[in-house]
Amino acid sequence: MAAEGDEEPEREDQDSFGDNAVKKGEGSKGRRKRKISREDEDANEKRGVCYLSRVPPRMDPSHVRQILSQYGEVQRIYLVPEDPTAQVQRKQSGGFRGKKFSEGWVEFAKKNVAKKVARMLNGEQIGGKKRSAFYYDIWNIRYLSEFKWDDLIGELAGKKREHEEKLKLEISAAKRERDFYMSKVEQSRALKFIRERREKKQKFQGQDSEGVQEPKVIRQHPQNRPVADGGGLQSKPRLSKDLLAGVFGRSSS
């Protein structure tokens, strides 16, 4: 029992020492994280965001970074891909078959650089190499005052939620339409089956009626019975022989 009692405090001391060591480590890590977060906040306050209302065809984030980095340090770039339906229609009409972007945001390390770039380039020709596909295109760029990259992330997240909700509604409507169509198909099949059975039954009944001969109908007409001689008829009056002899005798003389 004494040995067990001696071992318990040692384990308690080791555990307490380990806990203190972990707490000290967590404190230093926490201080470093807070320091980094403060530095990030300070850096975010110094940064400026520009908005591209139109992205020229064939221009991608690498081109945007390459061109705008000439004026100052570019931190982050986000370009919105065009609608897939518009992309399909453009390809079918024989247009540009690559990936195209509709709008975008560019974050500069310094606000004054972002303001300067927007003021200097907006409405101007992009230029660069004449062989470039967007050499003759025009910049559409504007500085967003009091706008941070976190605002953009929140806005995109909201748009994503709206898109997902809209997609759910469209899927639900498609399912209802499919169920309605399938019910009509089943109803049509049932009616067709009933009609075929009825026609088949009528056909069998017609064949049975043709195989049975109808009985011959003998019509009987009532006839009057013949009248016997002298029966019920009045006899004609006869001339006397003397009268006839007188008539014929005179005519002969």
Side-chain angles (χ1 to χ4, degrees), residues 75 79 110 154 180:
Q75 293 291 327
L79 302 182
K110 296 182 180 180
F180 177 77

Side-chain angles (χ1 to χ4, degrees), residues 23 42 64 75 92-93 108 117 121 132 140 150 160 213:
K23 290 180 181 178
D42 295 339
V64 175
Q75 293 291 327
Q92 291 177 350
S93 61
F108 289 90
V117 170
L121 297 182
S132 174
N140 292 275
D150 293 338
K160 184 178 180 181
Q213 294 182 355

Side-chain angles (χ1 to χ4, degrees), residues 227-235:
V227 180
D229 293 339
L233 294 178
Q234 295 181 358
S235 61

Side-chain angles (χ1 to χ4, degrees), residues 15-200:
D15 293 340
S16 62
F17 177 77
D19 292 339
N20 292 332
V22 171
K23 290 180 181 178
K24 288 181 181 180
E26 287 180 353
S28 60
K29 288 181 180 178
R31 284 194 296 271
R32 283 198 300 270
K33 287 182 179 179
R34 286 195 295 270
K35 183 178 180 181
I36 293 172
S37 63
R38 283 196 300 269
E39 291 177 354
D40 291 339
E41 290 177 0
D42 295 339
N44 288 332
E45 290 297 326
K46 295 177 182 179
R47 295 173 183 174
V49 179
C50 290
Y51 172 66
L52 299 174
S53 60
R54 176 183 176 274
V55 180
R58 303 177 187 271
M59 180 177 282
D60 57 20
S62 62
H63 293 130
V64 175
R65 183 177 294 277
Q66 181 182 359
I67 296 172
L68 297 182
S69 294
Q70 301 174 8
Y71 306 97
E73 183 182 356
V74 176
Q75 293 291 327
R76 288 175 282 193
I77 298 173
Y78 177 73
L79 302 182
V80 180
E82 68 175 337
D83 185 42
T85 305
Q87 184 178 4
V88 172
Q89 292 176 354
R90 188 183 70 253
K91 289 182 179 180
Q92 291 177 350
S93 61
F96 175 56
R97 304 185 65 84
K99 194 173 183 180
K100 190 178 178 182
F101 302 92
S102 59
E103 58 182 351
W105 289 262
V106 181
E107 184 186 44
F108 289 90
K110 296 182 180 180
K111 288 182 180 180
N112 56 353
V113 174
K115 293 178 182 178
K116 179 182 177 181
V117 170
R119 185 173 59 253
M120 184 172 57
L121 297 182
N122 188 38
E124 297 294 328
Q125 183 177 336
I126 294 178
K129 296 181 180 180
K130 287 190 176 182
R131 292 178 297 177
S132 174
F134 34 84
Y135 176 82
Y136 294 101
D137 272 293
I138 303 298
W139 282 110
N140 292 275
I141 185 170
R142 183 168 62 91
Y143 173 72
L144 300 179
S145 179
E146 302 298 329
F147 187 86
K148 302 300 178 185
W149 199 260
D150 293 338
D151 300 333
L152 174 62
I153 295 174
E155 183 179 349
L156 294 176
K159 288 184 177 180
K160 184 178 180 181
R161 285 193 299 270
E162 291 178 1
H163 177 71
E164 290 176 352
E165 292 176 359
K166 184 179 179 182
L167 187 62
K168 287 181 181 179
L169 292 175
E170 291 178 354
I171 293 174
S172 178
K175 287 182 178 179
R176 287 196 301 269
E177 184 177 355
R178 181 202 61 190
D179 295 340
F180 177 77
Y181 174 77
M182 293 303 296
S183 64
K184 290 297 182 182
V185 170
E186 293 296 331
Q187 185 178 359
S188 176
R189 288 178 179 175
L191 293 175
K192 183 179 178 181
F193 178 73
I194 293 173
R195 185 171 60 252
E196 289 177 351
R197 287 190 60 186
R198 186 178 300 167
E199 292 176 354
K200 190 175 181 180

